[in-house]
Amino acid sequence: MQAICVLGSTGSIGTSTLDVVLRHPDKYRVVALTGHKNLPLLIEQALLCQPDYLVTSDSDSYTTLTSLANDTGIKAKILCGADALVDVASLPEVDTVMAAIVGAAGLPASLAAAEAGKKVLLANKEALVMSGHLFMQAVRDSGATLLPIDSEHNAIFQCLPSDFKYGDLSASGISKILLTGSGGPFRTLPLAQLAAVTPAQACAHPNWSMGQKISVDSATMMNKGLEFIEACWLFGLQADDIQVVLHPQSVIHSMVQYVDGSVIAQMGNPDMRTPIAYGLSWPERMMSGVAPLDFSQLCDFSFSLPDAQRYPNLMLAIDAFQQGQAATTALNAANEEAVSAFLSTRIGFCDIAKINEAVVARINTNRTPQTLADILAIDTEARSMAGAIINGMS
Ligand code: NAD
Ligand code: MG
C-alpha cells in the first residue's frame, strides 16, 4: 500500500489524481488531502477517501471546514494555513506526495516533500521554475524520487532510455528534446485581434480541461515557457538541447530525437490521468480510466514552429532561463500577478507579456538565490513591481 498526500486535491490535477487512486483501493491509501477555498468539494473528497488529515490552506476557512467535517461525520484531523501544507507533505507515514497546488503557493510544500525524501509526483511546475537548483539539490540529498506529471515531461521521461544520466544527452545518443505544445486557443487568430480576447476565450483550451491559471498560460504560451525551464531542471538540459514544436492535435505529448535519426514519441488522448497513473505506478503500469487512442478517428498530425511575435512569453521564459534563477523566479511571480489581473479584467491579454517583460528588465537578476527565503524575497519584490505596473494600466 502506498500512502499518499494530495496537495491541491480540489483542483483539476487533484481531482484526476483521486479518480485514478480510487480505481485502485488495493494499492493506495490517502493520508492527507489539501484544498484552499472549495470546502464542499474537499468534504466530498474526504467522505470518499477517508484521509487522516484534511487541510485548508486558507486560515479563514478553518471554522467552516471543522463544522462541515463534524456535520458529515468525518474523523480526519483538520489543519489550516500554509504551514500545514508543509507539515502534511513531510509526514513520516506518507510515501508519495502529489504536488498539485497551482503557482508559487505550492513551492514550500513541494520542496518540503523533496527534502523529506518522498516520492514526489510534480505537477506544480512553478515550484521548479522558482527553485530548480535548490529543489534538485534537495532531491539528491534526501534520495527523493522525482517523477514529472506535466504531460510533456512525463512523455519525455517515458521516451528516455532507462539508464539516462542526468544532463548527459550525448551519452544516450540523444540530439534533441522536442517539447510539444498545441499553440493554445489563439494559434490562428489574426494578431491584431489578440488584444481584445476575453478571459473566457483564453480559458477555453481546444484539447485540455485545466485550471484557469494554466489555461491562460497555455493561451499566451507562458505555459510552454515554464515547461521549457521545468524540462531543463528535470533532465539537466541546456537551452539549446530543447526545441519547442507546435502540434495542435495534442496527441503526441513530447518526443526525444536520437543521433541516428530515430524520434521516439509518447502518444495518448489528452487526459492527465495517463501521466498521473504512470507516476503513481512507475515503473509498472496500471489502468487509468483513459480511453485507448482510436486510430480510426485520428486523421491529421501537423507540426510547426512557434512564432515569436504571437508568443512573446515563450521567448521571455527561454531568455530568463539563460539569465538564471532570479530571472525565472521574477518572471513567474510577474506572470502570476498579470494572469490574475487579466482574469479579473483589469488588464488586456497582450498586457501580460508587457508586464512580464518590464519586471524581468527592471529587477536585479544578477544574484543567485541560495535559500527558500532568498527565492521568496525575489518573488515578493517582483509581485510588487508587477502590481505597480498593473495599477498604472487599470
Ligand atoms: P487548479 O486551479 O485546478 O487547482 C489548484 C489547486 O491548488 C486547488 O486545489 C486549489 O485549492 C489549490 N490552491 C489554490 N491557491 C492556493 C493557495 N494559495 N494555497 C494553497 N493551495 C491553493 O489548477 P490545476 O490545473 O490542477 O494545476 C495545478 C498545477 O498543476 C499547476 O502548477 C499547473 O501548472 C500544473 N499542471 C496542470 C495540468 C492540468 O491539466 N490541469 C497539467 C500539467 C500541469
Ligand atoms: Mg504540460
Side-chain angles (χ1 to χ4, degrees), residues 267-324:
M267 296 195 278
N269 282 316
D271 186 321
M272 289 305 294
R273 289 176 300 173
T274 296
I276 290 167
Y278 190 61
L280 283 165
S281 62
W282 178 85
E284 291 168 15
R285 301 232 177 215
M286 67 182 188
M287 298 291 283
S288 65
V290 177
L293 266 186
D294 180 353
F295 284 91
S296 70
Q297 297 301 314
L298 285 181
C299 305
D300 301 318
F301 272 19
S302 54
F303 304 95
S304 59
L305 297 185
D307 165 12
Q309 237 190 318
R310 185 177 294 279
Y311 302 116
N313 280 295
L314 170 62
M315 309 306 152
L316 283 174
I318 296 172
D319 283 354
F321 176 71
Q322 287 165 308
Q323 285 184 60

Side-chain angles (χ1 to χ4, degrees), residues 34-48:
T34 89
H36 198 54
K37 291 191 173 167
N38 189 348
L39 306 185
L41 180 56
L42 193 56
I43 289 288
E44 199 184 300
Q45 294 179 332
L47 287 168
L48 279 171

Side-chain angles (χ1 to χ4, degrees), residues 7-14 34-38 57-58 85 99-103 105-106 123-126 149-152 208-214 217 223 227 272:
L7 301 170
S9 66
T10 54
S12 165
I13 294 288
T34 89
H36 198 54
K37 291 191 173 167
N38 189 348
S57 31
D58 176 40
L85 300 173
I101 291 172
V102 60
N124 177 212
K125 66 191 83 181
E126 296 90 346
I149 296 303
D150 216 342
S151 57
E152 296 76 2
W208 295 94
S209 156
M210 310 180 282
Q212 281 196 317
K213 193 257 175 185
I214 182 174
D217 284 349
N223 184 50
E227 291 182 354
M272 289 305 294

Side-chain angles (χ1 to χ4, degrees), residues 84-104:
L85 300 173
V86 171
D87 294 344
V88 292
S90 333
L91 283 168
E93 64 266 42
V94 164
D95 306 308
T96 301
V97 174
M98 167 55 81
I101 291 172
V102 60

